[in-house]
Structure formats: structure tokens, C-alpha cells
Amino acid sequence: MSYHSGLIQQAAAVTIMADVTLQRPEGAAEDWSIPQQWERYSPAEHALWDHLFERQAGMLPERVVPEFMDGLKLLRMTRPGIPHFDELSERLMKATGWQVIAVPGLVPEHVFFEHLANRRFVAGRFIRSPEQRDYLQEPDVFHDVFGHVPLLANPVFADYMQAYGRGGLRAHGFGSLTSLARLYWYTVEFGLIRQGDALKLYGAGIVSSYGESVFALDDSSPNRLGFDLARVMRTHYRIDDFQQTYFVIDSFEDLLRQTIETDFAPLYARLRNEAELSSDAVLPGDRIYTRGTQAYARARAIK
Ligand SMILES: [Fe+2]
């Protein structure tokens, strides 16, 4: 079994950590949106999408939360070729009131939050080169659309994403974007969910990565810990490789409820006085599904 470096995830975080002084590229609208220009994709680019799609869709049904597969079908993403954002938006709009819009790459965090708060998901329109099949520094259309969009068709997850965007807009005044970025990272990008006795994938950074789709569930190296909002917001994460810890939510409903019911202002104040936690930490109060050996991380560190 071979694992690939998980750099596809790196820019997922950068999207929300981006410097507010980013210059809006020429041709981008005030909200940083650009036309997808679907007709410009080459046959080779569509074929690369199909290859990546087949590879993930072949292995995910046993591993991913069923709501993800439902979303793929509902949005008719099982058809060949890079999806047309307008068509996706039309179907998403009917399901949950969300849209997908293209952006030129990184966007300032307030732009990102503003879009989420208004139920618009921003996606890169370019697709990786064949050489970058498993290694990518900026989220491309496959990560953004295959990874993120199917769950936006789920009403509860769709509400969570909007609640997160609203939280981001509010967090601006608190200087707490790092804590909030960790919440995004450990849920939207790298979240696991418990269903019955099994753990399933739902984070976009995992489900769009062949290697991490296996590693996150099967490998003995990472910790798998019960989700705790305040704890997650203190925890560092890996931007250059597979995660050392995954957090497991009980349900999308519970994640949404915790996000809506938490009063973030006092939480941010409290977090400022608490020590940050390393990406492999296990605390006495953690709900432990797996205490990882961290063998993978250690082996990578000495290379
Ligand atoms: Fe992402």
C-alpha cells in the first residue's frame, strides 16, 4: 500500500488563512468570482477528472458517510467530465439553496466567509496536471468540487457550512482566525464521523485523496479522538502530510448544534489563556477511539 503526501490539503487551509492584502486579479468580480469557462477544458483535462473520480468513487462507498454518495447521485456528479458549475448550482439550489462559484485561487478570508455565510461555495476552476495526480499545493477543481460539494446537498451539513461562514465573519473582530481555521480543518477538511460501530469519512481533504482515504480509517499511526469543539480549536494540524489526529463527530446534527449554540466570544477569550496542543497530543479527558502509534509520522520525520 503506498501513501501519497497530502499536500492537497495545504491550500485548503490557506484559503481561510490567506492574507487580507491579497490583490484581486484582473477580471475577477468584486466578490472575487470569475466565470468557470467550462468550454475551455480540454479532453485530457476531462479525462483526468474521470480518472480521479473513478479511483475515489471505486473505493469510497465502504468508507465514506452515505450522505456523500447520496450527494454525488443527487447532483449527477457520476456523469463523466468536469462538472459545469451552473448545472451543479441549479441542483444544489433546489436541494439546499447553495451555489458553487469559481474563484481564481486564494481569496481573502473575509471574502471566503462572506460567500459561505450566503451559501456560496468557492471553488478553483483549474485541474491539476497529470504529474500532480497525488501531490498538489493548491486546491483544484477535483478537491473543491468532488471533495466538498456532495455534502452541500445534505441539509444539515449545508447549514453547518453557513454557520461556519457566519462565525468567521464574527471572528474577525476577535483576532481568532487561527482557532477557527482549526475547526474547519478538523471537520470540513479532515473530519471523521461515527455511524453505529463504524467510523466513516466525511472531510473533503480525505475523500479527495486516495492515500488518506485509506490511512485515515485503517492505519494504526494516527489518533482518532472524539470531537470536542474547544479542544479542536487548540490543536495544531499538519499541512504537509497526513494528519496525526482525526476527530470523530457523533453526527452532523451534533456538529451543527455545537457550532450554533457555542458562544464564541468567551470561548476565544478562554482559548487565549490555554496552551496550544501539538498535532499528536492525547489528553486525559479525550474520548479515544484509537490511540495512534504515530509510527508513520515518526518514519517521515527521520527521512
Ligand atoms: Fe478544501
Side-chain angles (χ1 to χ4, degrees), residues 238-264:
R238 298 294 301 254
I239 61 167
D240 57 344
D241 212 327
F242 296 151
Q243 300 307 301
Q244 291 182 270
T245 298
Y246 298 94
F247 289 96
V248 182
I249 60 169
D250 290 332
S251 65
F252 291 141
E253 285 81 3
D254 186 56
L255 178 62
L256 174 63
R257 188 184 51 72
Q258 286 198 47
T259 308
I260 289 175
E261 289 179 1
T262 298
D263 190 350
F264 280 85

PDB file of all heavy atoms in Angstrom, residues 238-264:
ATOM      1  N   ARG A 238      -1.321  19.255  10.694  1.00  0.00           N
ATOM      2  CA  ARG A 238      -0.273  19.054   9.693  1.00  0.00           C
ATOM      3  C   ARG A 238      -0.737  19.623   8.364  1.00  0.00           C
ATOM      4  O   ARG A 238      -1.817  19.287   7.897  1.00  0.00           O
ATOM      5  CB  ARG A 238      -0.015  17.547   9.508  1.00  0.00           C
ATOM      6  CG  ARG A 238       0.490  16.829  10.736  1.00  0.00           C
ATOM      7  CD  ARG A 238       1.865  17.314  11.133  1.00  0.00           C
ATOM      8  NE  ARG A 238       2.863  17.135  10.084  1.00  0.00           N
ATOM      9  CZ  ARG A 238       3.813  16.206  10.115  1.00  0.00           C
ATOM     10  NH1 ARG A 238       3.910  15.387  11.142  1.00  0.00           N
ATOM     11  NH2 ARG A 238       4.695  16.106   9.129  1.00  0.00           N
ATOM     12  N   ILE A 239       0.099  20.498   7.782  1.00  0.00           N
ATOM     13  CA  ILE A 239      -0.284  20.993   6.463  1.00  0.00           C
ATOM     14  C   ILE A 239       0.501  20.289   5.369  1.00  0.00           C
ATOM     15  O   ILE A 239       0.233  20.457   4.198  1.00  0.00           O
ATOM     16  CB  ILE A 239      -0.084  22.522   6.317  1.00  0.00           C
ATOM     17  CG1 ILE A 239       1.390  22.888   6.510  1.00  0.00           C
ATOM     18  CG2 ILE A 239      -0.973  23.274   7.278  1.00  0.00           C
ATOM     19  CD1 ILE A 239       1.702  24.311   6.068  1.00  0.00           C
ATOM     20  N   ASP A 240       1.486  19.498   5.761  1.00  0.00           N
ATOM     21  CA  ASP A 240       2.395  18.947   4.760  1.00  0.00           C
ATOM     22  C   ASP A 240       2.287  17.441   4.622  1.00  0.00           C
ATOM     23  O   ASP A 240       3.023  16.831   3.868  1.00  0.00           O
ATOM     24  CB  ASP A 240       3.840  19.315   5.127  1.00  0.00           C
ATOM     25  CG  ASP A 240       4.207  18.826   6.531  1.00  0.00           C
ATOM     26  OD1 ASP A 240       3.285  18.486   7.299  1.00  0.00           O
ATOM     27  OD2 ASP A 240       5.410  18.778   6.842  1.00  0.00           O
ATOM     28  N   ASP A 241       1.400  16.822   5.368  1.00  0.00           N
ATOM     29  CA  ASP A 241       1.353  15.368   5.321  1.00  0.00           C
ATOM     30  C   ASP A 241       0.026  14.896   5.913  1.00  0.00           C
ATOM     31  O   ASP A 241      -0.797  15.702   6.328  1.00  0.00           O
ATOM     32  CB  ASP A 241       2.525  14.784   6.126  1.00  0.00           C
ATOM     33  CG  ASP A 241       3.000  13.459   5.532  1.00  0.00           C
ATOM     34  OD1 ASP A 241       2.148  12.721   4.999  1.00  0.00           O
ATOM     35  OD2 ASP A 241       4.208  13.177   5.600  1.00  0.00           O
ATOM     36  N   PHE A 242      -0.133  13.581   5.976  1.00  0.00           N
ATOM     37  CA  PHE A 242      -1.347  13.044   6.592  1.00  0.00           C
ATOM     38  C   PHE A 242      -1.458  13.529   8.039  1.00  0.00           C
ATOM     39  O   PHE A 242      -0.444  13.763   8.706  1.00  0.00           O
ATOM     40  CB  PHE A 242      -1.306  11.510   6.599  1.00  0.00           C
ATOM     41  CG  PHE A 242      -1.313  10.892   5.227  1.00  0.00           C
ATOM     42  CD1 PHE A 242      -0.698   9.670   5.006  1.00  0.00           C
ATOM     43  CD2 PHE A 242      -1.940  11.523   4.161  1.00  0.00           C
ATOM     44  CE1 PHE A 242      -0.698   9.093   3.752  1.00  0.00           C
ATOM     45  CE2 PHE A 242      -1.945  10.956   2.902  1.00  0.00           C
ATOM     46  CZ  PHE A 242      -1.320   9.736   2.694  1.00  0.00           C
ATOM     47  N   GLN A 243      -2.678  13.618   8.515  1.00  0.00           N
ATOM     48  CA  GLN A 243      -2.903  14.109   9.876  1.00  0.00           C
ATOM     49  C   GLN A 243      -2.405  13.109  10.911  1.00  0.00           C
ATOM     50  O   GLN A 243      -2.426  11.897  10.683  1.00  0.00           O
ATOM     51  CB  GLN A 243      -4.393  14.383  10.102  1.00  0.00           C
ATOM     52  CG  GLN A 243      -4.967  15.429   9.158  1.00  0.00           C
ATOM     53  CD  GLN A 243      -4.160  16.719   9.171  1.00  0.00           C
ATOM     54  OE1 GLN A 243      -4.011  17.356  10.212  1.00  0.00           O
ATOM     55  NE2 GLN A 243      -3.632  17.106   8.019  1.00  0.00           N
ATOM     56  N   GLN A 244      -1.997  13.646  12.057  1.00  0.00           N
ATOM     57  CA  GLN A 244      -1.591  12.771  13.173  1.00  0.00           C
ATOM     58  C   GLN A 244      -2.775  12.471  14.086  1.00  0.00           C
ATOM     59  O   GLN A 244      -2.727  11.534  14.877  1.00  0.00           O
ATOM     60  CB  GLN A 244      -0.467  13.434  13.966  1.00  0.00           C
ATOM     61  CG  GLN A 244       0.822  13.492  13.166  1.00  0.00           C
ATOM     62  CD  GLN A 244       1.959  14.093  13.960  1.00  0.00           C
ATOM     63  OE1 GLN A 244       2.165  15.302  13.945  1.00  0.00           O
ATOM     64  NE2 GLN A 244       2.693  13.260  14.663  1.00  0.00           N
ATOM     65  N   THR A 245      -3.817  13.294  13.973  1.00  0.00           N
ATOM     66  CA  THR A 245      -5.024  13.076  14.757  1.00  0.00           C
ATOM     67  C   THR A 245      -6.248  13.407  13.902  1.00  0.00           C
ATOM     68  O   THR A 245      -6.247  14.399  13.173  1.00  0.00           O
ATOM     69  CB  THR A 245      -5.033  13.981  16.013  1.00  0.00           C
ATOM     70  OG1 THR A 245      -3.918  13.642  16.838  1.00  0.00           O
ATOM     71  CG2 THR A 245      -6.322  13.808  16.805  1.00  0.00           C
ATOM     72  N   TYR A 246      -7.244  12.548  13.982  1.00  0.00           N
ATOM     73  CA  TYR A 246      -8.542  12.832  13.371  1.00  0.00           C
ATOM     74  C   TYR A 246      -9.566  12.935  14.503  1.00  0.00           C
ATOM     75  O   TYR A 246      -9.494  12.174  15.480  1.00  0.00           O
ATOM     76  CB  TYR A 246      -8.945  11.709  12.404  1.00  0.00           C
ATOM     77  CG  TYR A 246      -7.977  11.557  11.253  1.00  0.00           C
ATOM     78  CD1 TYR A 246      -6.925  10.649  11.321  1.00  0.00           C
ATOM     79  CD2 TYR A 246      -8.099  12.341  10.098  1.00  0.00           C
ATOM     80  CE1 TYR A 246      -6.013  10.518  10.283  1.00  0.00           C
ATOM     81  CE2 TYR A 246      -7.193  12.220   9.059  1.00  0.00           C
ATOM     82  CZ  TYR A 246      -6.143  11.307   9.155  1.00  0.00           C
ATOM     83  OH  TYR A 246      -5.240  11.196   8.129  1.00  0.00           O
ATOM     84  N   PHE A 247     -10.511  13.854  14.359  1.00  0.00           N
ATOM     85  CA  PHE A 247     -11.555  13.997  15.366  1.00  0.00           C
ATOM     86  C   PHE A 247     -12.869  13.454  14.808  1.00  0.00           C
ATOM     87  O   PHE A 247     -13.219  13.706  13.648  1.00  0.00           O
ATOM     88  CB  PHE A 247     -11.696  15.461  15.781  1.00  0.00           C
ATOM     89  CG  PHE A 247     -10.527  15.934  16.600  1.00  0.00           C
ATOM     90  CD1 PHE A 247      -9.467  16.607  16.007  1.00  0.00           C
ATOM     91  CD2 PHE A 247     -10.456  15.663  17.965  1.00  0.00           C
ATOM     92  CE1 PHE A 247      -8.370  17.018  16.748  1.00  0.00           C
ATOM     93  CE2 PHE A 247      -9.368  16.073  18.721  1.00  0.00           C
ATOM     94  CZ  PHE A 247      -8.319  16.750  18.114  1.00  0.00           C
ATOM     95  N   VAL A 248     -13.565  12.735  15.655  1.00  0.00           N
ATOM     96  CA  VAL A 248     -14.750  11.984  15.230  1.00  0.00           C
ATOM     97  C   VAL A 248     -16.001  12.655  15.779  1.00  0.00           C
ATOM     98  O   VAL A 248     -16.167  12.758  17.001  1.00  0.00           O
ATOM     99  CB  VAL A 248     -14.675  10.536  15.775  1.00  0.00           C
ATOM    100  CG1 VAL A 248     -15.875   9.727  15.292  1.00  0.00           C
ATOM    101  CG2 VAL A 248     -13.352   9.862  15.374  1.00  0.00           C
ATOM    102  N   ILE A 249     -16.864  13.104  14.892  1.00  0.00           N
ATOM    103  CA  ILE A 249     -18.141  13.684  15.353  1.00  0.00           C
ATOM    104  C   ILE A 249     -19.175  12.565  15.501  1.00  0.00           C
ATOM    105  O   ILE A 249     -19.047  11.484  14.898  1.00  0.00           O
ATOM    106  CB  ILE A 249     -18.671  14.786  14.398  1.00  0.00           C
ATOM    107  CG1 ILE A 249     -18.920  14.251  12.980  1.00  0.00           C
ATOM    108  CG2 ILE A 249     -17.721  15.967  14.374  1.00  0.00           C
ATOM    109  CD1 ILE A 249     -19.680  15.220  12.079  1.00  0.00           C
ATOM    110  N   ASP A 250     -20.214  12.834  16.319  1.00  0.00           N
ATOM    111  CA  ASP A 250     -21.278  11.840  16.507  1.00  0.00           C
ATOM    112  C   ASP A 250     -22.308  11.913  15.393  1.00  0.00           C
ATOM    113  O   ASP A 250     -22.929  10.912  15.041  1.00  0.00           O
ATOM    114  CB  ASP A 250     -21.968  12.057  17.858  1.00  0.00           C
ATOM    115  CG  ASP A 250     -21.053  11.678  19.013  1.00  0.00           C
ATOM    116  OD1 ASP A 250     -20.177  10.807  18.806  1.00  0.00           O
ATOM    117  OD2 ASP A 250     -21.196  12.252  20.106  1.00  0.00           O
ATOM    118  N   SER A 251     -22.521  13.108  14.869  1.00  0.00           N
ATOM    119  CA  SER A 251     -23.492  13.290  13.780  1.00  0.00           C
ATOM    120  C   SER A 251     -23.336  14.707  13.242  1.00  0.00           C
ATOM    121  O   SER A 251     -22.763  15.575  13.922  1.00  0.00           O
ATOM    122  CB  SER A 251     -24.932  13.112  14.295  1.00  0.00           C
ATOM    123  OG  SER A 251     -25.232  14.140  15.232  1.00  0.00           O
ATOM    124  N   PHE A 252     -23.842  14.937  12.050  1.00  0.00           N
ATOM    125  CA  PHE A 252     -23.823  16.302  11.515  1.00  0.00           C
ATOM    126  C   PHE A 252     -24.708  17.206  12.371  1.00  0.00           C
ATOM    127  O   PHE A 252     -24.413  18.379  12.566  1.00  0.00           O
ATOM    128  CB  PHE A 252     -24.291  16.320  10.058  1.00  0.00           C
ATOM    129  CG  PHE A 252     -23.320  15.663   9.108  1.00  0.00           C
ATOM    130  CD1 PHE A 252     -23.772  14.883   8.055  1.00  0.00           C
ATOM    131  CD2 PHE A 252     -21.950  15.838   9.256  1.00  0.00           C
ATOM    132  CE1 PHE A 252     -22.878  14.279   7.187  1.00  0.00           C
ATOM    133  CE2 PHE A 252     -21.046  15.247   8.385  1.00  0.00           C
ATOM    134  CZ  PHE A 252     -21.519  14.461   7.346  1.00  0.00           C
ATOM    135  N   GLU A 253     -25.801  16.643  12.876  1.00  0.00           N
ATOM    136  CA  GLU A 253     -26.710  17.426  13.723  1.00  0.00           C
ATOM    137  C   GLU A 253     -25.967  17.932  14.961  1.00  0.00           C
ATOM    138  O   GLU A 253     -26.124  19.094  15.363  1.00  0.00           O
ATOM    139  CB  GLU A 253     -27.916  16.588  14.174  1.00  0.00           C
ATOM    140  CG  GLU A 253     -28.969  16.343  13.117  1.00  0.00           C
ATOM    141  CD  GLU A 253     -28.597  15.209  12.157  1.00  0.00           C
ATOM    142  OE1 GLU A 253     -27.527  14.574  12.362  1.00  0.00           O
ATOM    143  OE2 GLU A 253     -29.350  14.959  11.202  1.00  0.00           O
ATOM    144  N   ASP A 254     -25.168  17.052  15.550  1.00  0.00           N
ATOM    145  CA  ASP A 254     -24.441  17.432  16.759  1.00  0.00           C
ATOM    146  C   ASP A 254     -23.393  18.507  16.449  1.00  0.00           C
ATOM    147  O   ASP A 254     -23.216  19.455  17.215  1.00  0.00           O
ATOM    148  CB  ASP A 254     -23.787  16.191  17.369  1.00  0.00           C
ATOM    149  CG  ASP A 254     -23.138  16.510  18.700  1.00  0.00           C
ATOM    150  OD1 ASP A 254     -23.854  17.020  19.588  1.00  0.00           O
ATOM    151  OD2 ASP A 254     -21.929  16.278  18.847  1.00  0.00           O
ATOM    152  N   LEU A 255     -22.713  18.342  15.316  1.00  0.00           N
ATOM    153  CA  LEU A 255     -21.716  19.338  14.914  1.00  0.00           C
ATOM    154  C   LEU A 255     -22.367  20.700  14.704  1.00  0.00           C
ATOM    155  O   LEU A 255     -21.869  21.734  15.164  1.00  0.00           O
ATOM    156  CB  LEU A 255     -21.031  18.871  13.621  1.00  0.00           C
ATOM    157  CG  LEU A 255     -19.992  19.806  13.011  1.00  0.00           C
ATOM    158  CD1 LEU A 255     -18.805  20.026  13.957  1.00  0.00           C
ATOM    159  CD2 LEU A 255     -19.494  19.242  11.671  1.00  0.00           C
ATOM    160  N   LEU A 256     -23.492  20.705  14.029  1.00  0.00           N
ATOM    161  CA  LEU A 256     -24.211  21.954  13.775  1.00  0.00           C
ATOM    162  C   LEU A 256     -24.678  22.573  15.097  1.00  0.00           C
ATOM    163  O   LEU A 256     -24.518  23.772  15.325  1.00  0.00           O
ATOM    164  CB  LEU A 256     -25.411  21.685  12.856  1.00  0.00           C
ATOM    165  CG  LEU A 256     -26.346  22.879  12.607  1.00  0.00           C
ATOM    166  CD1 LEU A 256     -25.614  24.011  11.880  1.00  0.00           C
ATOM    167  CD2 LEU A 256     -27.569  22.446  11.795  1.00  0.00           C
ATOM    168  N   ARG A 257     -25.230  21.725  15.954  1.00  0.00           N
ATOM    169  CA  ARG A 257     -25.761  22.232  17.230  1.00  0.00           C
ATOM    170  C   ARG A 257     -24.643  22.868  18.058  1.00  0.00           C
ATOM    171  O   ARG A 257     -24.785  23.971  18.566  1.00  0.00           O
ATOM    172  CB  ARG A 257     -26.417  21.072  17.999  1.00  0.00           C
ATOM    173  CG  ARG A 257     -27.164  21.492  19.253  1.00  0.00           C
ATOM    174  CD  ARG A 257     -27.700  20.292  20.028  1.00  0.00           C
ATOM    175  NE  ARG A 257     -26.692  19.276  20.294  1.00  0.00           N
ATOM    176  CZ  ARG A 257     -25.684  19.404  21.165  1.00  0.00           C
ATOM    177  NH1 ARG A 257     -25.570  20.501  21.883  1.00  0.00           N
ATOM    178  NH2 ARG A 257     -24.808  18.434  21.319  1.00  0.00           N
ATOM    179  N   GLN A 258     -23.518  22.188  18.143  1.00  0.00           N
ATOM    180  CA  GLN A 258     -22.401  22.738  18.933  1.00  0.00           C
ATOM    181  C   GLN A 258     -21.925  24.073  18.361  1.00  0.00           C
ATOM    182  O   GLN A 258     -21.570  24.980  19.090  1.00  0.00           O
ATOM    183  CB  GLN A 258     -21.224  21.761  18.952  1.00  0.00           C
ATOM    184  CG  GLN A 258     -21.444  20.553  19.824  1.00  0.00           C
ATOM    185  CD  GLN A 258     -20.120  19.859  20.153  1.00  0.00           C
ATOM    186  OE1 GLN A 258     -19.149  20.506  20.537  1.00  0.00           O
ATOM    187  NE2 GLN A 258     -20.102  18.550  20.006  1.00  0.00           N
ATOM    188  N   THR A 259     -21.928  24.159  17.032  1.00  0.00           N
ATOM    189  CA  THR A 259     -21.426  25.380  16.393  1.00  0.00           C
ATOM    190  C   THR A 259     -22.392  26.537  16.604  1.00  0.00           C
ATOM    191  O   THR A 259     -21.978  27.673  16.846  1.00  0.00           O
ATOM    192  CB  THR A 259     -21.220  25.132  14.880  1.00  0.00           C
ATOM    193  OG1 THR A 259     -20.425  23.955  14.731  1.00  0.00           O
ATOM    194  CG2 THR A 259     -20.528  26.300  14.209  1.00  0.00           C
ATOM    195  N   ILE A 260     -23.669  26.238  16.540  1.00  0.00           N
ATOM    196  CA  ILE A 260     -24.661  27.303  16.698  1.00  0.00           C
ATOM    197  C   ILE A 260     -24.802  27.705  18.171  1.00  0.00           C
ATOM    198  O   ILE A 260     -24.948  28.882  18.496  1.00  0.00           O
ATOM    199  CB  ILE A 260     -26.033  26.844  16.137  1.00  0.00           C
ATOM    200  CG1 ILE A 260     -25.950  26.784  14.604  1.00  0.00           C
ATOM    201  CG2 ILE A 260     -27.143  27.785  16.558  1.00  0.00           C
ATOM    202  CD1 ILE A 260     -27.201  26.238  13.958  1.00  0.00           C
ATOM    203  N   GLU A 261     -24.734  26.717  19.055  1.00  0.00           N
ATOM    204  CA  GLU A 261     -25.006  27.010  20.470  1.00  0.00           C
ATOM    205  C   GLU A 261     -23.799  27.566  21.215  1.00  0.00           C
ATOM    206  O   GLU A 261     -23.948  28.128  22.295  1.00  0.00           O
ATOM    207  CB  GLU A 261     -25.510  25.739  21.186  1.00  0.00           C
ATOM    208  CG  GLU A 261     -26.907  25.362  20.756  1.00  0.00           C
ATOM    209  CD  GLU A 261     -27.420  24.097  21.433  1.00  0.00           C
ATOM    210  OE1 GLU A 261     -26.676  23.521  22.258  1.00  0.00           O
ATOM    211  OE2 GLU A 261     -28.553  23.697  21.112  1.00  0.00           O
ATOM    212  N   THR A 262     -22.626  27.398  20.648  1.00  0.00           N
ATOM    213  CA  THR A 262     -21.435  27.898  21.346  1.00  0.00           C
ATOM    214  C   THR A 262     -21.360  29.416  21.239  1.00  0.00           C
ATOM    215  O   THR A 262     -21.532  29.975  20.160  1.00  0.00           O
ATOM    216  CB  THR A 262     -20.154  27.276  20.744  1.00  0.00           C
ATOM    217  OG1 THR A 262     -20.205  25.865  20.940  1.00  0.00           O
ATOM    218  CG2 THR A 262     -18.907  27.843  21.396  1.00  0.00           C
ATOM    219  N   ASP A 263     -21.122  30.036  22.370  1.00  0.00           N
ATOM    220  CA  ASP A 263     -20.875  31.469  22.370  1.00  0.00           C
ATOM    221  C   ASP A 263     -19.374  31.659  22.160  1.00  0.00           C
ATOM    222  O   ASP A 263     -18.568  31.408  23.049  1.00  0.00           O
ATOM    223  CB  ASP A 263     -21.332  32.063  23.719  1.00  0.00           C
ATOM    224  CG  ASP A 263     -21.330  33.585  23.669  1.00  0.00           C
ATOM    225  OD1 ASP A 263     -20.794  34.131  22.680  1.00  0.00           O
ATOM    226  OD2 ASP A 263     -21.853  34.196  24.610  1.00  0.00           O
ATOM    227  N   PHE A 264     -18.998  32.024  20.949  1.00  0.00           N
ATOM    228  CA  PHE A 264     -17.590  32.005  20.586  1.00  0.00           C
ATOM    229  C   PHE A 264     -16.772  33.102  21.259  1.00  0.00           C
ATOM    230  O   PHE A 264     -15.585  32.930  21.486  1.00  0.00           O
ATOM    231  CB  PHE A 264     -17.426  32.068  19.058  1.00  0.00           C
ATOM    232  CG  PHE A 264     -17.645  30.725  18.396  1.00  0.00           C
ATOM    233  CD1 PHE A 264     -18.908  30.298  18.055  1.00  0.00           C
ATOM    234  CD2 PHE A 264     -16.569  29.886  18.137  1.00  0.00           C
ATOM    235  CE1 PHE A 264     -19.112  29.062  17.462  1.00  0.00           C
ATOM    236  CE2 PHE A 264     -16.752  28.642  17.540  1.00  0.00           C
ATOM    237  CZ  PHE A 264     -18.032  28.227  17.202  1.00  0.00           C
TER     238      PHE A 264
END
